Amino acid sequence: DNNVLYADLFNFILFQGEQIIQPWELSEKDGRIDDVQGGVSKSSIRTSELERDLVRYYAPQGQEGPICKLTLAIEIQNYIDYTMPIRCMRYDGISYVAEAKKKGKERAEAAIAARDAQEDEPNEPGPEQERKKSRREISDEFLSQFTKEDRLTPTITVVLYMGTEKWDGPRSVHDMFQEIPKEISALIPDYKMILIDPAELSDEDLDTFKSRLDLTLKVIKYANDKEKLAEIMASDERFNHLQRDEVRVLNVCANMGLKEPKKGGTLDMCKAVQDMIDEASEKAVEEARRLDREAAEEARRLDQEAAEDKRVNGLYDAIKSLITQLGCSVEQAIDLTGLNDDDRQKLYTMFHEA
């Protein structure tokens, strides 16, 4: 359930994991917003449509606590966008403008409907009509298309970064400026984006999540540390039953190359990763043996010493490739090739001298 993951993420961000936001209090909201640009004439106005990745409307249902109605947005990034703070600021700003315009339109439509109803049957003044507004207030509200009493719904935008390299981009608009004096900086409004980077989350942070979101974040966090990733997968049986959407995310974000299960099925990631390692091992071992055979054949045609150097260097390159692919040690890689003791000793020496 996407709302379960959504609530879990924002509870982590806003309430340190306390379950304040409930999934059933979230409703999907259209992420498309109109960006209106242009001058005073209608012919110069241009409208383009922006689309946010994920948007939910949060309406609390009677709980006590530091809560209110909110618009909760998520922008998912699998690469580092060095303009991300102004992107988020633009999305939020346009969302507020759109909400204000919507309120003005709804108020105008309601005024027309009320006028038509009064023509048919005059009504008693309601509470909102008890205090008459001044001409200046009426004029300003008409020009603003927004009344003194109107209020906007706060928007919280979170950037969920799903890349395997640590985020090194700006986190606020001020980060994107050249160095400026503090006196000037203090007068320039800043926009600080909320960033979730798995690499920056501690294991304690990840254990705060109540949904399965932590599984994806853990894999991304340790994608470049195969030993740690294997340790985490072995200690959490949930990795034996990864859902289809989780596998898709890992393939896109962490380039895992996992086979997607059928709809409704699950994937045993521990077994899948081990199968991938075994397959890579077989290919690397076969490549090492092929190079060995080719070098041995060439040794019969060339000077024995030069050919032997080439053969051993070929083995050295193959072992290096094996270490890179599997993330294993020199000793483990050499063991996989099944070389004789003489060749093993030569390779140990070469790696220790490198």
Side-chain angles (χ1 to χ4, degrees):
D1 186 342
N2 288 336
N3 279 356
V4 171
L5 303 179
Y6 220 96
D8 198 21
L9 179 64
F10 278 93
N11 280 324
F12 171 77
I13 294 166
L14 300 176
F15 308 113
Q16 295 74 53
E18 186 178 354
Q19 299 300 288
I20 300 297
I21 299 174
Q22 302 299 328
W24 57 84
E25 297 173 322
L26 298 171
S27 56
E28 193 165 353
K29 189 174 180 181
D30 191 352
R32 294 172 297 180
I33 46 179
D34 290 332
D35 181 14
V36 181
Q37 303 172 1
V40 293
S41 65
K42 289 186 177 180
S43 61
S44 65
I45 294 176
R46 301 188 313 277
T47 300
S48 60
E49 187 177 80
L50 302 177
E51 186 163 1
R52 313 206 68 170
D53 290 341
L54 297 168
V55 186
R56 295 289 189 277
Y57 179 69
Y58 169 57
Q61 299 178 9
Q63 304 98 315
E64 295 181 359
I67 52 178
C68 60
K69 293 180 179 180
L70 297 167
T71 296
L72 305 175
I74 298 176
E75 297 301 323
I76 300 174
Q77 285 295 118
N78 57 10
Y79 71 94
I80 300 172
D81 186 343
Y82 294 99
T83 69
M84 203 67 210
I86 55 176
R87 266 184 62 190
C88 292
M89 182 173 67
R90 182 187 182 201
Y91 287 148
D92 290 353
I94 294 173
S95 296
Y96 287 136
V97 170
E99 185 181 358
K101 288 184 176 295
K102 182 180 178 182
K103 286 182 178 293
K105 182 180 179 181
E106 290 173 349
R107 189 173 296 278
E109 291 172 350
I112 293 172
R115 183 196 62 192
D116 293 343
Q118 282 184 344
E119 290 177 354
D120 296 336
E121 185 177 347
N123 295 325
E124 293 295 325
E128 72 282 357
Q129 297 172 308
E130 290 178 359
R131 185 186 73 84
K132 290 186 177 180
K133 293 186 177 181
S134 67
R135 288 185 177 181
R136 192 270 307 163
E137 288 176 311
I138 295 172
S139 174
D140 290 349
E141 289 180 348
F142 176 78
L143 293 173
S144 304
Q145 294 297 295
F146 198 79
T147 72
K148 287 174 64 175
E149 294 76 26
D150 284 336
R151 293 294 181 267
L152 298 175
T153 303
T155 294
I156 298 176
T157 296
V158 171
V159 177
L160 183 57
Y161 173 56
M162 306 294 270
T164 56
E165 300 299 325
K166 193 175 186 303
W167 182 276
D168 63 357
R171 299 171 186 242
S172 72
V173 172
H174 277 204
D175 288 346
M176 300 178 70
F177 295 153
Q178 296 178 346
E179 288 191 18
I180 54 178
K182 292 182 179 179
E183 296 80 2
I184 296 177
S185 177
L187 298 175
I188 301 175
D190 196 7
Y191 179 98
K192 296 181 180 180
M193 72 181 193
I194 302 171
L195 174 71
I196 294 294
D197 179 359
E200 297 178 352
L201 299 178
S202 67
D203 290 342
E204 290 74 18
D205 289 333
L206 291 167
D207 289 340
T208 302
F209 291 96
K210 303 298 188 294
S211 67
R212 295 171 60 91
L213 181 59
D214 65 308
L215 298 181
T216 301
L217 297 178
K218 285 177 180 176
V219 174
I220 293 173
K221 175 179 174 67
Y222 294 113
N224 298 322
D225 185 345
K226 294 181 174 59
E227 288 187 7
K228 181 65 175 179
L229 181 58
E231 177 187 328
I232 288 175
M233 289 193 300
S235 64
D236 191 336
E237 65 88 26
R238 292 179 300 166
F239 280 106
N240 299 335
H241 309 283
L242 281 188
Q243 297 168 359
R244 190 180 188 185
D245 287 345
E246 293 169 331
V247 174
R248 286 179 175 175
V249 171
L250 294 178
N251 283 339
V252 171
C253 299
N255 196 28
M256 295 296 293
L258 300 170
K259 184 178 179 180
E260 285 188 20
K262 295 180 179 179
K263 189 174 182 180
T266 60
L267 173 77
D268 185 340
M269 184 172 176
C270 299
K271 183 178 183 303
V273 171
Q274 187 58 53
D275 289 345
M276 291 167 61
I277 291 174
D278 292 343
E279 183 180 351
S281 298
E282 290 176 6
K283 289 182 178 178
V285 169
E286 182 58 35
E287 177 64 11
R289 290 173 176 170
R290 184 187 66 80
L291 291 172
D292 189 31
R293 288 194 301 270
E294 290 179 356
E297 291 173 4
E298 191 174 358
R300 291 192 291 268
R301 300 190 303 269
L302 302 174
D303 176 77
Q304 186 68 33
E305 185 177 347
E308 177 64 8
D309 288 342
K310 184 173 182 179
R311 184 183 73 85
V312 174
N313 286 331
L315 290 174
Y316 178 83
D317 291 337
I319 297 297
K320 282 180 65 177
S321 175
L322 189 59
I323 292 170
T324 300
Q325 291 181 44
L326 302 184
C328 59
S329 66
V330 171
E331 289 76 13
Q332 290 170 330
I334 292 177
D335 286 341
L336 286 171
T337 60
L339 297 172
N340 61 49
D341 291 342
D342 186 51
D343 285 341
R344 292 163 68 94
Q345 188 57 50
K346 290 178 183 177
L347 290 167
Y348 281 136
T349 302
M350 291 175 70
F351 275 102
H352 287 305
E353 290 178 352

